[in-house]
Amino acid sequence: MTLPADWITHLQKTPLPVRAEVHRRLTAVLQRDEIDQGELVGWLRRDPGACGFVMGSAARVQRAKQRDAPHSLDHALSLLGDTWSRQQIPKLPILEETITDELQLAGYLVAVARSLHAARHAESWLVELRDTSYEIVVVATLLHNFVELALWRDAPDIMRSALIQVREHQTDTLGHAVGNAY
């Protein structure tokens, strides 16, 4: 599958799917009379697609106002407001309903797991250093695999080809392999 020429615009307009369990928990938190911001942030941090959606939405709002992008999920949510969260987050597509091909879904889930694993390590490392600004690094780590996730969603053939190149030692990194396949 080839990517459309306007793929970046497509990525901005089409949120990545969120795992069903995370989607269910986010929706439950948002249906309460009072939103527990800490719990909401905790569930958003469990899915790179959900995290990317909130951070990207807040960044676009800030860019339109010629302001700096949000530095954390909590900051992004406060910029967007409870009404936005209640209306927009439940509309996120659910992974298990969006990607039904088993190989494509498996690749997507591996990329999600890698992102979450890296975020946990980054958080542990920064907490150990007593760095109180760890949230920005954790969010950046979650978003690190955003393009890989988007490729698994939009161009799984490119990702499969790239994985084959890496496994057969034709290239050293997945990024180079994607570039070769694309």
Side-chain angles (χ1 to χ4, degrees), residues 50-105:
C51 177
F53 176 70
V54 170
M55 293 300 290
S57 297
R60 283 189 288 283
V61 167
Q62 289 295 89
R63 192 170 27 257
K65 295 177 182 179
Q66 297 182 337
R67 295 184 182 155
D68 291 339
H71 56 273
S72 67
L73 281 165
D74 193 48
H75 183 213
L77 288 168
S78 68
L79 292 169
L80 295 166
D82 286 353
T83 302
W84 181 92
S85 295
R86 288 180 197 276
Q87 292 174 350
Q88 300 303 316
I89 293 174
K91 292 180 186 176
L92 287 169
I94 296 171
L95 176 61
E96 292 82 352
E97 295 172 5
T98 305
I99 299 177
T100 56
D101 176 87
E102 285 186 35
L103 290 174
Q104 184 180 5
L105 180 60

Side-chain angles (χ1 to χ4, degrees), residues 2 40 175:
T2 58
L40 185 60

